[in-house]
Amino acid sequence: MKAVRVHRHGGREVLRLDEVPDPVPADGEVLVRVRSCALNHFDVDLRENVSRWPISLPWTLGIEFAGDVAGVGAGVEGLAEGDRVWVLHEIPCLECEYCLADQDNLCLAARMWSVQMPGGYAEYVAAPARAVFPLPDAVSYDVAAAGQIVFTTAWHMLITRGKVRAGETVLVSAAGSGVGHAAIQIAKLAGATVITTAGSDAKLAAAREDGADHVVNYRRENVTERALELNGGRGVDLVIEHVGGEQFGACLAALRKDGRLVACGGHAGEVVDLDIIPLFRNEWQVIGSRTGTTREIRLVMDLIAQGKLRPRVHAALPLAEAAEAHRILEGREHFGKVVLNT
Ligand SMILES: [Zn+2]
């Protein structure tokens, strides 16, 4: 089969289209013909070796994907050749204390595609049957691949960690990213007022289409001042922050007293200044958040199938153009997700 692999760590040139052996499904596994694999900034981090996850080279990237069942191993029930499916991006152990507490997103022994298992920049993947779920005809492969991680991450941030309530005001940083556009839609579904930021007017217009009530161009405007102004100086109830760097402090300062900031990423700066005085005087809550649990992932995929959440696919490129897909991602030109069609 064809697969795009990283041969050494570095720039986009290290992505190469290779011919590799087809995976063979073991007992309890399903062979999936990948049709669409979504990119995440994590892919770029793995490629550059700045992800803090070790991989052995050469290695196949691609953490979330959808496709068709192309074969089943012994003992697999309920899935048959030709079924349209999506695949859980991280497979929990089901045995550790977190898995037993319905927090399997914190599993101590999870296996993630493209980290512990070769990923979906490939024509075929062999997956444990328990990680493979039916994909309704109404949902395209691209949308299924694009929706899983960012919508689940945003769901976990807003609903589970941030405990958003109807009527609250939520500030979402970086509207154009995968998590940003997902967070806007989920916050609106939850009945919140949404203020969001982006660095271009085109992205802000798209954010309004996704339901954002107020938009702030962070290149032209002061995010803290505008966010405060937009809700009468009171401060926002909840910040969904996934950028880091200077935006972390700018968004934190826009919180009301006892407001919550939920953080899930830091590509603009992983280590930030934090002034402890306003933190305790205002009783701000800074909350870390990872991707969601399997239960949340399945719920989010159902909401996507119902049309209540709408992952945006900015670009779909053939597998051979993986380097160009990385270029789009690194250039931050996109609104929503970039996918590879294998
Ligand atoms: Zn576990």
Side-chain angles (χ1 to χ4, degrees):
M1 69 166 180
K2 289 185 169 42
V4 167
R5 297 193 299 173
V6 174
H7 285 258
R8 57 188 168 79
H9 291 297
R12 296 186 287 274
E13 70 283 356
V14 303
L15 296 167
R16 289 219 315 250
L17 185 64
D18 291 335
E19 194 64 38
V20 301
D22 288 0
V24 178
D27 292 358
E29 287 189 342
V30 173
L31 184 67
V32 176
R33 173 68 178 89
V34 179
R35 298 293 177 191
S36 183
C37 180
L39 271 68
N40 287 276
H41 205 281
F42 184 57
D43 304 10
V44 175
D45 295 346
L46 285 171
R47 193 198 74 207
E48 292 180 336
N49 201 24
V50 297
S51 71
R52 308 190 198 184
W53 291 91
I55 53 172
S56 55
L57 303 176
W59 192 245
T60 310
L61 302 178
I63 188 171
E64 55 179 337
F65 43 86
D68 303 309
V69 174
V72 293
V76 173
E77 289 176 13
L79 290 164
E81 209 168 314
D83 286 356
R84 302 173 81 251
V85 292
W86 60 273
V87 180
L88 205 57
H89 72 275
E90 187 174 45
I91 303 171
C93 76
L94 307 183
E95 291 176 354
C96 72
E97 65 171 298
Y98 299 101
C99 283
L100 294 175
D102 192 24
Q103 290 180 292
D104 62 7
N105 62 322
L106 301 176
C107 174
L108 297 172
R111 289 179 303 144
M112 204 188 313
W113 301 105
S114 80
V115 178
Q116 290 90 359
M117 306 175 286
Y121 288 17
E123 289 178 312
Y124 293 95
V125 163
R130 70 176 168 91
V132 179
F133 297 93
L135 177 64
D137 289 341
V139 185
S140 72
Y141 299 116
D142 286 351
V143 164
Q148 187 185 158
I149 290 180
V150 293
F151 275 80
T152 303
T153 299
W155 184 277
H156 192 66
M157 293 176 84
L158 278 153
I159 308 293
T160 306
R161 304 292 284 159
K163 296 184 169 54
V164 66
R165 288 182 287 275
E168 288 193 321
T169 298
V170 180
L171 172 60
V172 177
S173 64
S177 78
V179 169
H181 92 299
I184 293 167
Q185 293 184 27
I186 294 166
K188 290 309 295 179
L189 195 63
T193 296
V194 174
I195 303 171
T196 192
T197 71
S200 83
D201 291 341
K203 287 184 183 180
L204 293 176
R208 278 199 183 277
E209 281 172 22
D210 276 357
D213 299 280
H214 306 287
V215 296
V216 180
N217 187 323
Y218 64 74
R219 293 190 200 282
R220 284 201 308 263
E221 301 172 285
N222 179 305
V223 170
T224 311
E225 285 174 11
R226 278 295 289 153
L228 289 169
E229 201 176 285
L230 285 166
N231 72 354
R234 173 181 171 268
V236 305
D237 300 284
L238 176 63
V239 168
I240 297 300
E241 216 297 293
H242 53 103
V243 176
E246 287 179 7
Q247 287 303 309
F248 178 90
C251 290
L252 186 68
L255 278 179
R256 67 163 166 87
K257 288 183 186 294
D258 194 28
R260 298 96 70 197
L261 178 147
V262 184
C264 81
H267 285 120
E270 295 178 355
V271 178
V272 298
D273 288 333
L274 179 61
D275 186 342
I276 292 169
I277 306 301
L279 180 80
F280 76 75
R281 284 186 184 166
N282 292 305
E283 295 198 350
W284 286 334
Q285 303 171 57
V286 176
I287 303 163
S289 190
R290 202 171 178 270
T291 185
T293 63
T294 301
R295 186 175 55 76
E296 289 173 314
I297 294 171
R298 296 185 68 176
L299 172 61
V300 161
M301 295 303 278
D302 280 347
L303 292 171
I304 290 171
Q306 291 168 32
K308 289 179 177 169
L309 299 174
R310 299 167 310 282
R312 283 184 183 246
V313 178
H314 172 85
L317 286 79
L319 180 62
E321 293 179 27
E324 170 61 10
H326 275 223
R327 189 195 64 75
I328 295 171
L329 209 65
E330 291 174 90
R332 305 195 183 282
E333 299 164 5
H334 57 295
F335 191 99
K337 297 287 285 183
V338 178
V339 302
L340 289 171
N341 294 137
T342 64

